[in-house]
Amino acid sequence: MSTDRAYPVPAPGGESTLRIVWIYPDLLSTYGDRGNMLILARRAQLRGIPVETIEVRSDQRLPTTADIYLIGGGEDGPQALGAQRLIADGGLHRAVAQGSVVFAVCAGYQLLGGSFFAKGTKCAGLDLLDLHSDRGSTRAVGELAGDIDPRLGLPPLSGFENHGGRTHLGPGVSPLARVTSGIGNEGITEGAWRGKLLGTYAHGPALARNPALADLLLRWATGVHQLPPLDDTWSERLRAERRAALAARA
Amino acid sequence: MPLRAKVASSVSRTAAALSRAAGRGDGSVIGGWIGLKIDPDLLAHLSAGRAIALISGTNGKTTTTRLTAAAVGVLGPVATNSLGANMPTGHTSALAKAGNTPYAVLEVDEHYLPQVLEATNARVVALLNLSRDQLDRAKEVSMMAQLWRAALVRHPGVRVVANADDPMVVWAATPPANRSEAVQPAPVTWFSAGQRWRDDSWVCPECGSPIERMADQWWCTGCWLRRPEPQWVVEDDGVVDPAGAWHKVVLQLPGRVNLGNAATALAVAAEFGVRPADAVSRLAGVTSVAGRYAQVVRDGRTIRLLLAKNPASWLEAFDMAEVAPTLLSINARDPDGLDTSWLFDVDFSPLRGRQVLITGDRAFDLAVRLEVNDVPFHHVRTFSDAIASVPPGRLEVIANYTAFQDIRAELNRVN
């Protein structure tokens, strides 16, 4: 997985196209979640990597051979329904076993764990990440920022969160970040990762504000050590502007 | 009216006048706020004896309220909150200011509909649409539909005029009581105003099954919910009424969405006994609404202001805007909602090929979005810079709420 390759980059499985699946946009698409798919596709294409994006509705079978799976946010009802259908489908488990990348935000992040609460009921999750979620006493709404696990080698996380859940991590996962502003999992840590699975409460188009995180997912998916840099002027200005807004508030 | 209400009403009018005179605001909220402090039941007292229509929904309510007030005006004086002050303070101000009018047409923020329905004992309520709006604060779409539905169950006497094209609205307007033998409220009057934005209604609010669509039709694959047959329909550049008669509608307002709003206005007015043939000519008198659609000439540029607050209304704005240089302005202050995620729910590709300028507090969020959307743009710091950056001729301005108000202030609060 750690060899540098020439471009264009072949995706795993011997195919030349990077396949990105957006899981259940009919259920889990609340906060501009489409953005993550668009951003990953664009950043791959700019590196000469051909991309296929696939939107899989909740009444369709999940393909098991894609390179990246995305799960978005949603209300309680659709979240519970989405989890049930993903468990019944079994496709995501097979894809993960084969080494696919999963990036999940908000409700999608919660349902990767062992259990979560929706409409006051404890629901079974996919058990792909060693974590479980319950309800907090307050809703976490606002800017979310944190210093990302140094092993991932990324600049600080910048995002927006809006959730009523609190997430408790088990020993089988690492926090994605240490919270510097906002709540994240429980006010101290934010998100979680293990292998090539990564979840965050930075909802919606989290990758718009975190292009380096988008590139990490692309590196995981392609096995390429270093991707050619892109012009991220506008993302950098956005990050700086958000940082300044947080500093002004502090 | 009880003495306390009379005093409250009078103080309310005075405060509104003072606010305007002091240049502090347009007086559409402060008067009602003070009045309600003196008499908490002031809105109910001011509503008594009036035939009232409430207009609510995520989008188009200010414009539809204006059009409806114009249509109902056939019958006599109409009180209305035409400045878009759509919470109880605004309603109280509007009714106090108008004095004794036999009719009132009130725009109502969708969260406040149950409360205002209770206070005003309205005769008609028009339900336009429900879509995602200000996600960091507003109730999510299905919760809002539930809120409306519960309110209608408590008011079986109210006449409901509702959009047949929006599954969430149809579900809200068809509470269980309306389908049982025990209670027989007046049937809903359905209009077809179209639904360009569909991403909040793919899942049935009744049973959770997928909703299927084909052309104008939609139906739940798992239960009874389906598109009702509308009695009021937009056809070509006119509106067909329940009797099947077609009325040509001439509007000063752009876009097919406003034809839908006109159909809604005629349907609501008909509930008061207004014949559409008598009302259509009055609709042409509505030019701009609290600055929306206003046109201003400045330095040789004809500037038109379009308000777009959420994904659904951005799609409408692209439909209305001409192929011309376009300024987009985005803020994320309290009234706008603090979360800009929705930018990725909007497809900006209709703007490709136009000169696009961006500005506002959150212009960089927009910049990242447009880059991913392959829409070239230039960032400008001020509205004056924007004007200077485009050739003489038309400049379309599309902005969200406070960004719109900022630009309107630069243009001397154009109405």
Side-chain angles (χ1 to χ4, degrees), chain B residues 199-284:
Chain B
D199 281 357
D200 291 312
S201 51
W202 290 111
V203 177
C204 176
E206 175 77 11
C207 73
S209 302
I211 285 175
E212 289 285 351
R213 294 170 197 271
M214 194 183 291
D216 291 342
Q217 299 299 316
W218 59 262
W219 61 94
C220 172
T221 53
C223 74
W224 55 269
L225 192 69
R226 61 186 301 115
R227 181 180 186 257
E229 194 57 43
Q231 289 100 328
W232 296 81
V233 181
V234 172
E235 202 176 288
D236 302 322
D237 56 346
V239 173
V240 180
D241 72 20
W246 180 83
H247 307 274
K248 185 175 173 66
V249 173
V250 179
L251 294 177
Q252 304 292 315
L253 310 176
R256 193 167 171 80
V257 61
N258 279 319
L259 267 179
N261 291 338
T264 311
L266 294 175
V268 174
E271 298 290 337
F272 291 104
V274 177
R275 294 184 309 167
D278 297 336
V280 277
S281 63
R282 291 181 152 256
L283 303 182

Side-chain angles (χ1 to χ4, degrees), chain A residues 60-142:
Chain A
Q60 297 170 326
R61 295 286 299 186
L62 202 64
T64 57
T65 56
D67 303 291
I68 302 179
Y69 292 82
L70 301 173
I71 317 179
E75 302 178 30
D76 280 13
Q79 181 189 19
L81 196 60
Q84 278 171 24
R85 294 193 181 166
L86 280 173
I87 292 169
D89 183 276
L92 191 60
H93 289 86
R94 283 197 290 283
V96 167
Q98 291 160 24
S100 296
V101 175
V102 180
F103 178 61
V105 306
C106 208
Y109 164 49
Q110 290 183 353
L111 64 75
L112 289 183
S115 65
F116 60 93
F117 273 81
K119 290 189 169 172
T121 311
K122 188 173 179 179
C123 305
L126 275 68
D127 233 349
L128 287 167
L129 289 178
D130 180 17
L131 54 86
H132 67 276
S133 304
D134 50 27
R135 308 297 296 185
S137 54
T138 56
R139 206 168 166 81
V141 185

